[in-house]
Amino acid sequence: MDSKWFRRYDRTGSGDARAGSGDADRPRLICFPHAGGAASAYAGLSRLLAPHLDVFAVQYPGRQDRRHETPERGITPLAGRIAQRLIEGTAGPYALFGHSMGALVAYETARALQRCGAPGPLRLFLSGRGVPGTAPGPHDLLDSDGAILAAVRRLGGTDATVLDDPELVAMALPPLRADYGALASYRWTPDPVLNTPVSVFVGADDPVVPVSSARAWSERTALESETLVFPGGHFYLGGGLDKVAEAIVDRVAVRPAGQDALRT
């Protein structure tokens, strides 16, 4: 797989990103970060899933070691670029997992793969994101740096000490601006309906994603859909990673009979 786009973390807990094609004997889980986030957000989940799944996290342009690249300013174009690299570099059964903005990118990546005629994922995991409509929701329409930082602080995905440090804020703002710009410009279209089973994860106290909006993802797939509610808010993952990992393993660790590989 393209090591520029996909990062695989050490199982021992060292947190070092490494390239490589992965373990062909295990299904792969491709993880998509939240707005302003990076591949390293999935280091902990990767270690928990390591005995069962081979985890690769997407590194979007414009952050961490890709900070000198121009961030992608559209959800659908970003998904198309990722889908193409998955087609070129992934073999064997796989699933997609995205949190918050990453759920939207994962969804559009699955649709891009389907449009190309590529075999679909075993399952699409959509976390911390309500079903998209024809217009962006109010939480995606933030018109200033102050509004973006206030939203980040409210959702709790970034340590408050980082948000209080001007130098760290200056580093965090460019990808945040790009990602919120991409969310504001995103326009959902009805085709294609996914031919992929969907599991939606949401925090019971998420201030921006009601459970009813999470359940409405069932309208976006022709196959089965389920919604799992976890204790916590928008970033419930931080306090319930073990339960999240268990739910993922239960659904994709065993390959269903007759499921095609992405590329042979």
Side-chain angles (χ1 to χ4, degrees), residues 196-211:
T196 302
V198 172
S199 292
V200 185
F201 295 175
V202 65
D205 301 314
D206 192 320
V208 296
V209 184
V211 173

Side-chain angles (χ1 to χ4, degrees), residues 65-87:
D65 59 330
R66 301 189 68 184
R67 64 186 177 278
H68 298 302
E69 299 178 40
T70 301
E72 181 59 70
R73 296 184 179 275
I75 296 294
T76 304
L78 176 60
R81 296 174 73 183
I82 295 167
Q84 187 57 44
R85 282 158 180 82
L86 286 173
I87 291 170

